[in-house]
Amino acid sequence: MENLIYIDPPLWPAHDTHFSHLVSDSSLAELHAFAAAAGIPDRAFDGDHYDVPERRFDDLVAAGAVPVEARILVRKLIASGLRIPARQRSKSLKVPLLNRWESIMPGHDALFLDLLDRWGEEHRRYHGRTHLLAVLEALDLLTDPADPPRTVLLAAWFHDAVYRGVAGQDEEESARLAEVRLSGTGLPPAEVAEVARLVLLTSDHRPEPGDDDGALLCDADLSVLGGEPEAYARYVAAVREDYAHVGDADFAAGRAAVVRHLLELDPLFHSQRARELWLDAARRNLRGELA
């Protein structure tokens, strides 16, 4: 049976256009070869497909891609065995993250792509795009039915934008990056400074009493602690991978210090809603890990 490349209609909005998906029914090697021959850049690859803009649709069909409905394309991809479930790969979060970015910073696509690349760096396991989306979703939970403040949302986007696994230094460099990159967006200087201040708070999660926005960001950043036991175990395993450059003994000592610090935080979560959502489970998880 002949192996084929499939493309669905350009229905997916982003960056002032619409996008199609390009997939193979047999192998990623075949898909990459087709994309390279068609001049599709590597950055358009998203784990099991290429995102291609509407303007390329006709010439890709002329090059041999078979046009099919979106539901048929998904079936072909599933049947091929190549499909990657959304939550199992960081790159799959590009569209939901883009939608969230455009709700607070429309027209700043270059900055979005820079941040997306940073959050998608290969050495990240826990501190990647899944964590970013989880923090943004936690902010939604904590402020519902209102929207989180823009400065808090931007601080979430920048809080691990620089990540090398060096506690304290990563937050300082992320805050400086926020100051530099946001200063050119037209954001008022006071808001830029506030974003940087909030980013720095994520180094120890100790906002001052009355710092509602700082408490909001810190609660959202630590929401992972209140997950179900299996989810918490995955978080701990991913953190270990983030620190793969550290030996087992040093990591165990350092991680134990972090867990003890978290257990000593009083409060661990600052808002009543965060305490209701996560506090009991977080204490159980942390005590279990330390034991």
Side-chain angles (χ1 to χ4, degrees), residues 49-276:
H49 69 274
Y50 281 85
D51 295 315
V52 292
E54 184 174 14
R55 60 182 172 77
R56 295 297 315 273
F57 183 83
D58 289 340
D59 64 271
L60 291 172
V61 171
V66 178
V68 294
E69 296 178 28
R71 61 186 178 86
I72 301 298
L73 181 138
V74 172
R75 290 177 187 172
K76 296 285 188 184
L77 188 56
I78 292 172
S80 73
L82 300 174
R83 191 185 192 203
I84 302 175
R87 285 284 176 171
Q88 291 185 15
R89 55 181 169 80
S90 177
K91 286 188 175 181
S92 69
L93 304 180
K94 179 170 56 179
V95 171
L97 287 172
L98 174 62
N99 290 337
R100 286 175 174 274
W101 177 260
E102 289 189 336
S103 72
I104 57 170
M105 293 293 285
H108 294 284
D109 288 359
L111 180 52
F112 165 75
L113 291 172
D114 177 49
L115 289 170
L116 192 72
D117 284 345
R118 289 174 178 275
W119 283 95
E121 291 167 337
E122 288 298 322
H123 66 277
R124 298 175 185 243
R125 292 300 179 266
Y126 171 65
H127 294 87
R129 295 176 190 170
T130 301
H131 170 58
L132 170 59
L133 182 58
V135 172
L136 295 172
E137 290 174 341
L139 290 173
D140 289 342
L141 279 175
L142 293 174
T143 59
D144 184 67
D147 293 327
R150 179 170 63 171
T151 50
V152 177
L153 290 170
L154 285 171
W157 276 91
F158 277 95
H159 82 283
D160 281 324
V162 176
Y163 183 76
R164 299 187 180 91
V166 183
Q169 181 178 321
D170 287 342
E171 288 82 5
E172 290 177 7
E173 293 187 15
S174 294
R176 285 199 295 270
L177 180 72
E179 290 174 328
V180 171
R181 297 306 305 275
L182 290 175
S183 294
T185 64
L187 207 64
E191 288 192 34
V192 175
E194 173 66 357
V195 171
R197 183 190 74 82
L198 291 169
V199 169
L200 288 172
L201 284 177
T202 62
S203 65
D204 63 6
H205 301 94
R206 292 182 184 272
E208 294 292 331
D211 182 3
D212 292 342
D213 286 355
L216 180 60
L217 179 64
C218 290
D219 284 353
D221 192 30
L222 295 182
S223 62
V224 66
L225 302 178
E228 293 298 318
E230 288 186 3
Y232 186 82
R234 289 194 298 271
Y235 148 70
V236 173
V239 170
R240 179 65 185 104
E241 290 187 58
D242 272 352
Y243 288 87
H245 59 285
V246 178
D248 288 343
D250 288 341
F251 176 80
R255 178 65 188 172
V258 169
V259 172
R260 282 193 292 268
H261 164 74
L262 290 169
L263 283 169
E264 290 167 1
L265 286 179
D266 186 16
L268 175 59
F269 294 106
H270 300 80
S271 71
Q272 181 62 32
R273 186 172 294 186
R275 288 192 288 270
E276 292 170 355

Side-chain angles (χ1 to χ4, degrees), residues 10-33:
L11 300 174
W12 314 100
H15 305 293
D16 300 319
T17 187
H18 290 77
F19 283 77
S20 295
H21 300 128
L22 194 71
V23 307
S24 168
D25 68 352
S26 62
S27 77
L28 291 179
E30 177 189 46
L31 180 62
H32 291 321

